[in-house]
């Protein structure tokens, strides 16, 4: 991409955000003109296309409301029961953050919007870091999953897999990326990961950008490298691929580029064979300009550890999108992860916002579908207010509740900027209290501060409600790592008990009242051994989740997933006192 191309895209962002209201009306108008005669909308609009009629008559819905229509199309009925434009396939949501995978219709227009969006969201980073496409290559960890064929013959795939399958992406892959296509589509994620790291190390002097879609995948790569760097160095030294890599595609790709390089292997070995891996990414890839990954929402828990490994390199989280809709982009790529806001692009979908009540104690109360709450248009949201995102798209989603709670942090021109707050339905509850993802994150952040002065990092956590005995209680699984040679066995049990108490002190008022009345039992932290959350990730990947799309649940619902972590517990600690 040439510099003038970047300037042109930045100019387009200015025009889109300046004319946000007009563009939103045009987007909705076009969706209604095209689809008002479909079976779904005809029942609400009777063939009319007025905005006010749409707002008055078309209800807010969830996936379960639209699922019968989507299933009918997947089973062979024509797509015009839901939308006029032919469906070319489906996006398959990951299903790991808030529930089961969902099928989202894809059309030619959706594909065009994604192509435009990819050029737009990279532009601010290029403004700051230069045109990385001309400077070198990207080491991005990418993992495709097999497509699913529906009874209608239409294919379903994750957004990332759909991108990897595009002819344009494949044509540019050898020039722009270190990973051959065979490693991306390797059916064994561990073999694919090993080979992607291997190719990234072989081409380490060309790498100007390191990353993956999610922060959790970047960390998975670093931890995998910690366990395999000696083997990788041996392969580089000898020019031969390890025998356990049996995938023919990976072996063929390796045979084309691998040759003995003892000097490179010795240099990498010296870098990796050190007491502390602080700044290891910068040491292994000295020309890297930044780390690219989404590190907001559920991914924010990984920023401390990522900053340890990439010391001095910016973490750039540049997009906010989901299987349902493309939403916004980060115009300030150099800002800290905790300050990231996404500017919504008004041409990508028609956006509405359901006001969410902020309680005094900082918790959030969701509005129900039955409440007579007026949805707010994109340009009319208020700074500081929280909203649940509702989208209407060109692909047959009408007033669809995405399930994301966002807070308005400001405006860029006339387009609002949002910070991601939480997923709506991820909560802990023993009785009548409701603890949100944000509540949990705040409590964990307060508690883990006790570990920092002792040389320990909380690398992973998740939770569940244990009701096997009465009263029930919250259980947190923590994976803890020493910064420099310290071992979890050196952890003082008193500190862990204090972490439990600190968490309870940080939770909301309702939890504290229920805890004092013994309606909820003492909070428990179960420390698990190193690699436990990798095993959890492997479990979800084995069930069909793409490694690129994996989002570790902050609250576990699966009994099997709980068993995986429980089998790796090395210490259990309980709060010793009721919170004040």
């Amino acid at each position: 991409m040439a510099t003038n191309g970047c300037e042109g895209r930045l100019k387009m962002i200015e025009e889109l955000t300046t004319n946000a209201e007009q563009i939103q009306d045009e987007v909705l108008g076009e969706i209604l003109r095209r689809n008002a005669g479909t079976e779904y909308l005809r029942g609400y609009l009777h063939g009319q296309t007025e905005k006010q009629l749409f707002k008055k008559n078309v209800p807010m819905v969830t996936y379960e409301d639209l699922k019968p229509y989507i299933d009918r199309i997947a089973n062979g009925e024509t797509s015009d029961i839901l939308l006029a434009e032919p469906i070319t396939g489906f996006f398959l949501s990951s299903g790991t953050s808030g529930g089961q995978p969902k099928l989202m219709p894809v059309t030619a227009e959706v594909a065009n919007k994604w192509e435009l969006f990819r050029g737009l969201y990279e532009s601010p980073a290029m403004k700051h870091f230069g045109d990385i496409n001309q400077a070198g290559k990207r080491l991005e960890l990418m993992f495709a999953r097999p497509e699913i064929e529906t009874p209608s013959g239409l294919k379903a795939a994750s957004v990332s897999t759909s991108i990897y399958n595009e002819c344009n992406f494949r044509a540019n892959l050898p020039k722009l990326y270190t990973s051959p296509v065979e490693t991306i589509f390797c059916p064994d994620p561990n073999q694919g990961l090993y080979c992607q790291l291997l190719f990234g190390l072989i081409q380490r002097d060309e790498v100007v950008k390191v990353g993956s879609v999610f922060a959790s995948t970047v960390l998975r790569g670093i931890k995998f490298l910690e366990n395999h760097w000696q083997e990788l160095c041996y392969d580089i030294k000898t020019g031969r691929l390890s025998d356990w890599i049996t995938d023919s595609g990976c072996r063929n790709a390796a045979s084309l580029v691998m040759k003995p390089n003892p000097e490179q292997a010795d240099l990498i070995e010296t870098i990796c064979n050190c007491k502390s891996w602080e700044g290891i990414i910068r040491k292994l890839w000295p020309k890297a300009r930044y780390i690219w990954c989404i590190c907001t929402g559920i991914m924010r828990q990984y920023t401390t550890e990522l900053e340890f490994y990439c010391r001095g390199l910016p973490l750039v989280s540049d997009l906010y999108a989901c299987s349902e809709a493309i939403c916004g982009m980060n115009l300030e790529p150099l800002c800290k992860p905790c300050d990231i806001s996404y500017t919504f692009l008004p041409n990508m979908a028609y956006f509405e916002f359901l006001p969410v009540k902020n309680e005094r104690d900082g918790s959030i109360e969701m509005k129900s579908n039955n409440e007579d709450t007026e949805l707010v248009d994109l340009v009319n949201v208020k700074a500081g207010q929280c909203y649940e995102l509702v989208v209407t798209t060109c692909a047959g989603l009408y007033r669809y509740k995405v399930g994301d709670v966002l807070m308005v942090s400001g405006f860029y021109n006339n387009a609002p900027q949002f910070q991601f707050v939480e997923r709506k339905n991820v909560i802990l509850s023993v009785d009548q209290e409701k603890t949100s993802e944000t509540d949990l994150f705040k409590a964990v952040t307060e508690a883990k501060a006790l570990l920092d002065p002792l040389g320990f990092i909380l690398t992973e956590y998740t939770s569940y409600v244990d009701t096997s005995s009465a009263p029930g209680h919250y259980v947190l699984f923590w994976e803890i790592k020493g910064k420099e040679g310290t071992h979890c066995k050196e952890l003082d049990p008193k500190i862990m008990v204090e972490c439990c108490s600190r968490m309870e002190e940080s939770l909301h008022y309702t939890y504290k009242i229920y805890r004092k009345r013994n309606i909820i039992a003492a909070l428990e932290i179960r420390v698990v051994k190193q690699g436990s959350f990798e095993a959890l990730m492997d479990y979800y990947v084995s069930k069909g989740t793409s490694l690129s799309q994996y989002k570790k649940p902050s609250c576990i619902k699966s009994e099997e997933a709980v068993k995986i972590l429980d089998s790796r517990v090395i210490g259990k600690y309980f709060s010793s006192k009721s919170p004040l």
Side-chain angles (χ1 to χ4, degrees):
M1 298 178 187
T3 304
N4 60 351
C6 180
E7 291 175 353
R9 288 188 292 274
L10 290 171
K11 184 179 179 181
M12 179 185 289
I13 293 167
E14 290 294 318
E15 293 172 351
L16 289 171
T17 54
T18 299
N19 302 308
E21 184 172 13
Q22 175 190 338
I23 293 169
Q24 278 283 276
D25 285 343
E26 290 172 354
V27 167
L28 179 61
E30 179 59 29
I31 291 172
L32 296 182
R33 280 190 294 274
R34 191 182 299 172
N35 300 305
T38 60
E39 178 184 322
Y40 181 83
L41 282 182
R42 196 166 58 240
Y44 301 112
L45 300 179
H46 311 292
Q48 301 300 306
T49 60
E50 288 79 13
K51 177 179 177 179
Q52 291 309 314
L53 190 66
F54 168 82
K55 283 182 161 290
K56 179 182 177 182
N57 288 355
V58 178
M60 285 184 287
V61 296
T62 64
Y63 182 74
E64 292 306 311
D65 297 311
L66 292 183
K67 187 175 184 296
Y69 295 88
I70 294 173
D71 286 348
R72 284 167 60 187
I73 297 168
N75 288 325
E77 289 193 45
T78 56
S79 59
D80 59 9
I81 62 175
L82 193 59
L83 69 161
E85 188 180 358
I87 290 177
T88 57
F90 298 95
F91 284 149
L92 192 65
S93 73
S94 65
T96 51
S97 64
Q100 295 298 312
K102 304 176 180 70
L103 291 175
M104 293 296 164
V106 177
T107 65
E109 186 175 352
V110 170
N112 291 337
K113 285 182 182 294
W114 271 100
E115 185 175 356
L116 172 63
F117 183 57
R118 290 203 296 277
L120 291 175
Y121 76 68
E122 287 190 334
S123 300
M126 288 192 176
K127 178 182 176 182
H128 289 282
F129 300 108
D131 189 347
I132 61 167
N133 295 327
Q134 302 298 326
K137 291 188 174 184
R138 312 167 185 215
L139 167 52
E140 290 186 19
L141 302 177
M142 299 175 281
F143 304 91
R145 294 296 295 173
E147 294 178 318
I148 297 170
E149 185 167 331
T150 63
S152 65
L154 294 170
K155 301 289 182 63
S158 67
V159 174
S160 54
T161 296
S162 300
I163 291 170
Y164 304 149
N165 271 319
E166 290 177 1
C167 295
N168 190 44
F169 176 85
R170 288 178 176 241
N172 287 317
L173 191 66
K175 176 187 175 185
L176 300 180
Y177 297 84
T178 59
S179 299
V181 69
E182 294 86 352
T183 66
I184 299 171
F185 283 85
C186 178
D188 181 344
N190 284 323
Q191 291 190 44
L193 178 55
Y194 184 92
C195 292
Q196 289 188 45
L197 290 170
L198 176 65
F199 283 101
L201 289 170
I202 289 172
Q203 302 169 79
R204 61 187 292 265
D205 291 330
E206 298 180 64
V207 172
V208 292
K209 174 183 173 183
V210 176
S212 190
V213 176
F214 293 119
S216 57
T217 312
V218 179
L219 281 178
R220 172 67 181 258
I222 296 170
K223 292 172 182 178
F224 190 92
L225 185 59
E226 283 189 273
N227 294 326
H228 293 85
W229 64 266
Q230 291 172 308
E231 186 180 358
L232 287 160
C233 286
Y234 183 79
D235 286 2
I236 295 170
K237 183 174 291 186
T238 61
R240 294 183 59 200
L241 190 60
S242 291
D243 291 338
W244 72 275
I245 305 297
T246 56
D247 180 74
S248 58
C250 289
R251 297 202 71 87
N252 290 339
S255 68
L256 297 176
V257 297
M258 288 189 71
K259 57 184 179 181
N261 193 339
E263 290 184 7
Q264 180 82 300
D266 289 344
L267 182 57
I268 295 170
E269 190 170 3
T270 300
I271 293 170
C272 293
N273 191 21
C274 56
K275 184 178 180 181
S276 171
W277 267 39
E278 183 174 3
I280 193 70
I281 296 178
R282 195 165 203 169
K283 294 172 185 176
L284 287 173
W285 294 283
K287 294 181 181 177
R289 299 178 183 181
Y290 64 97
I291 310 297
W292 173 75
C293 60
I294 293 172
C295 52
T296 52
I298 188 66
M299 294 295 145
R300 59 190 167 179
Q301 64 179 282
Y302 300 113
T303 55
T304 300
E305 192 179 6
L306 260 185
E307 287 168 345
F308 173 80
Y309 286 121
C310 68
R311 189 68 69 203
L313 284 176
L315 290 177
V316 175
S317 182
D318 53 11
L319 67 99
Y320 170 42
C322 50
S323 304
E324 294 88 346
I326 298 164
C327 299
M329 54 188 289
N330 177 11
L331 297 180
E332 299 293 337
L334 292 179
C335 72
K336 295 179 180 179
C338 61
D339 296 327
I340 290 171
S341 291
Y342 298 105
T343 303
F344 267 43
L345 298 177
N347 60 327
M348 293 298 169
Y350 181 68
F351 300 108
E352 295 176 279
F353 300 88
L354 181 63
V356 171
K357 185 178 179 182
N358 290 4
E359 298 294 336
R360 289 184 179 179
D361 64 359
S363 63
I364 286 173
E365 179 185 313
M366 304 305 302
K367 301 282 187 180
S368 73
N369 270 4
N370 298 324
E371 290 189 58
D372 186 20
T373 304
E374 188 75 22
L375 289 180
V376 180
D377 284 343
L378 178 70
V379 297
N380 294 327
V381 295
K382 305 295 184 184
Q385 173 67 48
C386 288
Y387 300 90
E388 183 180 357
L389 175 62
V390 179
V391 299
T392 296
T393 73
C394 63
L397 303 183
Y398 308 107
R399 309 197 96 180
Y400 179 96
K401 297 173 73 174
V402 173
D404 290 352
V405 178
L406 312 173
M407 186 189 76
V408 184
S409 54
F411 281 79
Y412 183 80
N413 294 328
N414 295 312
Q417 298 177 304
F418 294 90
Q419 289 188 335
F420 187 96
V421 177
E422 64 186 12
R423 287 287 297 170
K424 173 188 170 185
N425 294 320
V426 183
I427 58 173
L428 294 169
S429 182
V430 171
D431 196 272
Q432 296 297 311
E433 93 294 351
K434 292 183 179 180
T435 298
S436 71
E437 186 178 300
T438 299
D439 296 331
L440 190 65
F441 176 76
K442 288 177 180 176
V444 170
T445 301
E446 288 291 326
K448 73 175 184 176
L450 296 169
L451 302 178
D452 294 339
L454 305 176
F456 295 99
I457 299 173
L458 175 62
T459 59
E460 296 267 17
Y461 76 86
T462 189
S463 63
Y464 86 105
V465 170
D466 186 346
T467 55
S468 60
S469 59
H473 69 290
Y474 291 8
V475 175
L476 278 294
F477 291 102
W478 281 21
E479 187 172 315
I480 299 171
K481 180 180 181 179
K483 291 181 181 178
E484 295 184 16
T486 47
H487 196 277
C488 285
K489 291 180 180 178
E490 301 171 26
L491 264 176
D492 185 345
K494 292 180 181 178
I495 293 295
M496 293 308 302
V497 169
E498 182 58 32
C499 284
C500 295
S501 298
R502 181 74 67 89
M503 277 201 68
E504 290 199 314
E505 290 290 350
S506 304
L507 286 171
H508 50 83
Y509 176 76
T510 308
Y511 176 89
K512 294 176 184 177
I513 291 294
Y514 280 36
R515 178 78 171 85
K516 288 175 182 176
R517 294 176 180 173
N518 204 33
I519 298 171
I520 301 174
L523 182 144
E524 177 186 3
I525 292 177
R526 299 176 188 174
V527 177
V528 295
K529 63 184 180 182
Q530 291 291 307
S532 297
F533 279 81
E534 290 183 39
L536 184 67
M537 183 186 292
D538 290 339
Y539 165 73
Y540 281 111
V541 169
S542 73
K543 294 296 182 182
T545 298
S546 164
L547 196 56
S548 294
Q549 273 200 305
Y550 174 75
K551 297 185 285 291
K552 184 212 69 210
S554 55
C555 175
I556 294 180
K557 307 296 184 184
S558 162
E559 290 184 13
E560 187 61 35
V562 172
K563 288 178 182 177
I564 288 169
L565 294 179
D566 255 340
S567 67
R568 292 165 168 80
V569 171
I570 56 176
K572 295 184 178 182
Y573 310 93
F574 293 85
S575 175
S576 60
K577 56 189 177 183
S578 292
L580 298 175

